[in-house]
Amino acid sequence: MRTVWEDTVGDDDRAVLERGTARELDPAPDVLVVGGGIVGLAAAALCRRAGLGRVNVVETQTLAWGPSGRAAGFLAPGLHELGDPAPFVALARVGLAVHRELDATWDGALGLHDVDMDVMGIALPQQAEVHPLRLAAAYARRAGAVVTGVAVTGVDTAGGRVARVHTGAGDITPGALVLATGLPPAYLDFGPASRAGLLDVSWPSIKGHLLTTEPAPFRLEVSPGGPHIGVRQLPDGRLLAGGTLDPDDHEPDVRDDVVAGLREEMVALVPGAAGLSIDHAWTCFRPGTPDGLPVIDRVPGLENAWMSVGHFRTGLLLAPAAGRAIASWITSGERPPELASFGLGRFA
Ligand SMILES: Cc1cc2nc3c(=O)[nH]c(=O)nc-3n(C[C@H](O)[C@H](O)[C@H](O)COP(=O)(O)OP(=O)(O)OC[C@H]3O[C@@H](n4cnc5c(N)ncnc54)[C@H](O)[C@@H]3O)c2cc1C
């Protein structure tokens, strides 16, 4: 079940995503980010950019091994203007704006392509697309010290603060902790106040399928979207279609019937795709929340711990907006106004 991204990522980017040994573990960083998906990597890079000092990312596997490296790669706030709540649309627009600003500052390192989309006859000009692994590698290069293959296994709190973080490679005493673990890990016990806030919420994990075709002998002028899926064309001509929403399927396997349905929807949007063979089909899981919006908040009851989790369908898009806002919150001690709608308290 290899993804097209694994087969097309550059060797330098691949090396960056696999880098980082326990030797790089900083026992006392100013900011410790748990989770090396796109949300954690962007948060780390933006904390460094905000001048927050030594930043350490700890990832249990390799960087972006999960949905962050397997997603479709649309950065399309326009899709959310079609019905999502205004604060979410605003954050999504900031997400694309920050990606663009950083891509320009870093000489195109993020690899953003501008693209026009057409979703069921509605034109969405000036959206963007990325190679998810290239995006993750670009943020990882700027994320500070990165440790892979090491899990955070426990947290000690004292006086309303995170005092010590236990990992498989030793303990860490961070100034601030940022939890970017996709979903909050239920086995991390942050004490009674946080436990109630975090564990009373249901955190669904929603599977999706994606596919690519062999390179098409034509170029799409716009990336078309239907009621359920979007189609984009990769630089080498392949068409990518995704992602389905498969809420009742909890196994990671690719299902032939779902791929057949996805292919049918792709052909309805791009009739010229009918004769193309499928060369990759894969799945991944979206980290969800009860209302489908992320939780970007301070961990309840703790002064120096934040979480950026439940990014569901838009983690690639929102990652730098969330990261910049958390960096600002750590710096100022004040919640940035754009995060007012993304607190955990909304589920109380
Ligand atoms: C089919 C599909 C298509 C999608 N398409 C898009 C798209 O086009 N655009 C878009 O913006 N979004 C898209 N998404 C959504 C996007 O993939 C997710 O929102 C995003 O990847 C979430 O990123 P994350 O960093 O929060 O989580 P993850 O990628 O899951 O990263 C969290 C990391 O934390 C690590 N971790 C967890 N616990 C610990 C621990 N205790 N110690 C150390 N490390 C730990 C995990 O190993 C993991 O690597 C799509 C998702 C799916 C399923």
Side-chain angles (χ1 to χ4, degrees):
M1 207 182 53
R2 280 179 73 81
T3 69
V4 75
W5 309 126
E6 289 166 284
D7 285 342
T8 54
V9 67
D11 290 343
D12 289 357
D13 288 340
R14 191 193 310 277
V16 166
L17 297 172
E18 288 169 3
R19 82 177 171 158
T21 64
R23 280 197 305 278
E24 290 188 42
L25 201 70
D26 183 339
D30 296 293
V31 181
L32 171 65
V33 177
V34 186
I38 191 63
V39 171
L41 294 170
L46 284 148
C47 283
R48 287 191 75 214
R49 209 169 150 73
L52 282 168
R54 295 208 315 267
V55 178
N56 204 178
V57 178
V58 175
E59 163 57 47
T60 187
Q61 302 208 32
T62 54
L63 303 180
W65 71 272
S68 295
R70 305 173 75 84
F74 292 110
L75 304 179
L79 288 174
H80 304 284
E81 288 160 12
L82 306 176
D84 282 322
F88 181 74
V89 174
L91 198 66
R93 287 192 186 127
V94 173
L96 180 53
V98 181
H99 276 304
R100 283 203 165 117
E101 180 192 318
L102 296 174
D103 198 37
T105 306
W106 296 336
D107 296 327
L110 302 188
L112 258 62
H113 297 282
D114 285 346
V115 68
D116 294 336
M117 299 179 79
D118 181 313
V119 176
M120 295 179 291
I122 301 173
L124 302 175
Q126 295 178 349
Q127 310 299 303
E129 295 170 349
V130 283
H131 188 303
L133 291 177
R134 175 170 174 185
L135 183 77
Y139 281 110
R141 284 189 175 89
R142 296 156 178 92
V146 172
V147 178
T148 53
V150 172
V152 166
T153 53
V155 175
D156 295 341
T157 60
R161 292 180 62 82
V162 168
R164 190 170 299 107
V165 174
H166 304 289
T167 79
D171 289 354
I172 304 180
T173 309
L177 175 73
V178 178
L179 208 58
T181 44
L183 296 176
Y187 54 85
L188 290 185
D189 187 353
F190 291 95
S194 323
R195 204 177 301 138
L198 284 172
L199 298 186
D200 290 352
V201 174
S202 77
W203 301 93
S205 185
I206 309 286
K207 181 175 174 179
H209 281 71
L210 301 106
L211 64 79
T212 53
T213 67
E214 64 180 320
F218 52 82
R219 288 292 321 165
L220 295 180
E221 283 178 17
V222 297
S223 296
H228 309 114
I229 66 149
V231 177
R232 58 176 285 202
Q233 190 162 30
L234 306 189
D236 64 8
R238 286 178 166 108
L239 300 181
L240 178 150
T244 59
L245 279 170
D246 316 321
D248 301 322
D249 181 357
H250 305 293
E251 300 302 324
D253 323 33
V254 172
R255 281 185 38 194
D256 292 345
D257 57 325
V258 179
V259 173
L262 180 54
R263 183 198 172 98
E264 220 169 275
E265 286 194 63
M266 172 182 69
V267 171
L269 291 167
V270 184
L276 300 175
S277 60
I278 294 174
D279 70 0
H280 292 81
W282 70 97
T283 68
C284 57
F285 287 83
R286 303 168 180 90
T289 61
D291 60 7
L293 305 178
V295 172
I296 312 166
D297 200 358
R298 221 198 276 255
V299 176
L302 294 176
E303 208 181 296
N304 64 338
W306 284 262
M307 60 187 145
S308 186
V309 294
H311 281 271
F312 195 43
R313 307 177 78 165
T314 47
L316 272 61
L317 173 58
L318 293 184
R324 193 170 75 171
I326 285 183
S328 152
W329 195 339
I330 295 172
T331 306
S332 69
E334 301 290 327
R335 176 166 63 191
E338 67 269 27
L339 295 188
S341 301
F342 302 103
L344 187 64
R346 70 185 190 269
F347 302 121

